Amino acid sequence: MDRPIKTRRIKFRYQPGSLDRHFVQGDLVSSHMMAMLSAVFPEGEEFFIRSVRRYSDQITDPELKKQVAGFIGQEMTHGREHRELNERLQEMGYPTAFVERLARRIFNFQTRNYPPIYTLAVTAALEHYTAVLAETLLTDQRALDMLGEGEVRSMLLWHAFEEAEHRCVTFDVYRAVGGSERLRIWVMRRTTIAFIYTTFFETVISLLRDKAAYNPVRLVKSIAALRHLPFLSREVRRRIGEYNRPGFHPNDSDNSELIEKWHAELFGENGQLTGH
């Protein structure tokens, strides 16, 4: 399923005081978790770009070459826009600058010390995570409701759309340069452990800086609400786990109608992002 991957020149602006402290429906833990995921994105996107670029001279398929160029352009824009959001979150008390530095060290360590095919496999695994979470956001009304209104909603919808749009690119590059199924699956399992651990650790660090987290009633209620979080549902866990199946490909789940629907919603004549 080949589709053009377009680099969009887009910009989001966060007016002072426009973000609530707990911007995910006023929920304590979900707001901190979302902020910490945003904090990782700029360095994560740089890592993804480096991992793919190292194989750019080995890609012979002209269509895949075009998709790689679009993928790199999109990821560069994602990193820039998340950095802008992270600055606002830092001003609100979230430790986004600390987490960005930590992510830089982790990703740079992997780039320096692991074979290029390994870092490409890590990128493919993390791209699967972002694609599944993005498509959950775009299909589950509960997830959409969590975003509220305003610029954060617009930015996350745009990011989710483009993650769904380019979800196959890194995977196809990995296959094209001879990456094995065994390594792909092993790296995904290892990446899953690292993803869960680092997200938990960073969310706890963030919560410790928030006075609201020291209200035991509010904290316990917020933790209990996680079981209803659409991004942690059984369906999401199933879709992420599909990656471990030999012969898996992202296009086993067709998202073409979803892409068409949200392209019209966001970028059509009266689209939500035409002013951006």
Side-chain angles (χ1 to χ4, degrees), residues 8-258:
R8 299 175 178 88
R9 296 178 179 177
I10 196 161
K11 181 71 177 174
F12 298 92
R13 294 174 177 82
Y14 308 95
Q15 299 300 324
S18 62
L19 296 181
D20 294 330
R21 177 68 170 91
H22 301 115
F23 57 97
V24 182
Q25 289 187 315
D27 184 79
L28 181 66
V29 176
S30 293
S31 296
H32 281 271
M33 189 181 302
M34 186 76 75
M36 294 304 95
L37 288 173
S38 178
V40 172
F41 271 117
E43 293 301 326
E45 308 289 20
E46 289 290 334
F47 174 78
F48 296 169
I49 292 168
R50 288 197 305 271
S51 299
V52 172
R53 270 183 173 158
R54 292 167 88 173
Y55 284 98
S56 59
D57 61 342
Q58 296 185 34
I59 300 170
T60 58
D61 181 349
E63 186 59 38
L64 184 55
K65 272 185 174 292
K66 290 179 184 177
Q67 291 187 338
V68 166
F71 166 82
I72 290 173
Q74 287 187 351
E75 296 292 55
M76 289 178 67
T77 312
H78 296 173
R80 185 196 71 204
E81 291 305 309
H82 271 280
R83 212 164 247 124
E84 181 72 21
L85 174 59
N86 292 344
E87 289 177 6
R88 303 289 82 75
L89 293 173
Q90 180 74 29
E91 292 168 0
M92 292 162 59
Y94 292 96
T96 51
F98 166 76
V99 172
E100 277 198 48
R101 290 194 299 271
L102 180 63
R104 184 181 308 123
R105 291 173 184 169
I106 292 171
F107 287 124
N108 286 346
F109 177 85
Q110 292 201 18
T111 299
R112 289 193 306 266
N113 294 283
Y114 288 93
I117 195 66
Y118 177 90
T119 60
L120 185 62
V122 171
T123 299
L126 289 173
E127 279 289 299
H128 180 64
Y129 263 96
T130 57
V132 171
L133 296 177
E135 290 176 11
T136 300
L137 175 60
L138 298 175
T139 56
D140 192 318
Q141 188 60 47
R142 296 172 302 160
L144 286 169
D145 290 342
M146 289 175 65
L147 300 184
E149 300 297 334
E151 203 74 335
V152 172
R153 176 188 177 91
S154 296
M155 194 273 273
L156 293 178
L157 285 176
W158 156 75
H159 189 174
F161 170 80
E162 291 196 343
E163 289 297 332
E165 188 177 45
H166 71 226
R167 67 179 186 176
C168 297
V169 176
T170 305
F171 192 97
D172 288 341
V173 171
Y174 179 80
R175 276 193 171 178
V177 299
S180 70
E181 286 288 89
R182 181 178 180 183
L183 178 63
R184 177 181 70 80
I185 293 169
W186 181 79
V187 167
M188 179 55 161
R189 289 171 177 165
R190 186 174 181 181
T191 300
T192 294
I193 294 170
F195 180 81
I196 293 171
Y197 173 78
T198 55
T199 302
F200 174 79
F201 169 75
E202 290 161 1
T203 302
V204 170
I205 292 295
S206 187
L207 283 165
L208 289 173
R209 293 168 52 112
D210 189 343
K211 291 181 180 179
Y214 293 88
N215 179 330
V217 175
R218 184 173 182 184
L219 180 62
V220 169
K221 284 184 177 180
S222 185
I223 293 172
L226 288 175
R227 69 181 186 274
H228 301 300
L229 199 66
F231 301 107
L232 300 179
S233 69
R234 181 179 299 177
E235 174 62 15
V236 168
R237 296 196 301 271
R238 182 193 66 78
R239 285 201 60 196
I240 289 173
E242 285 180 345
Y243 192 92
N244 295 323
R245 173 173 51 80
F248 167 84
H249 190 279
N251 280 340
D252 293 341
S253 171
D254 184 5
N255 73 350
S256 54
E257 289 187 8
L258 182 69

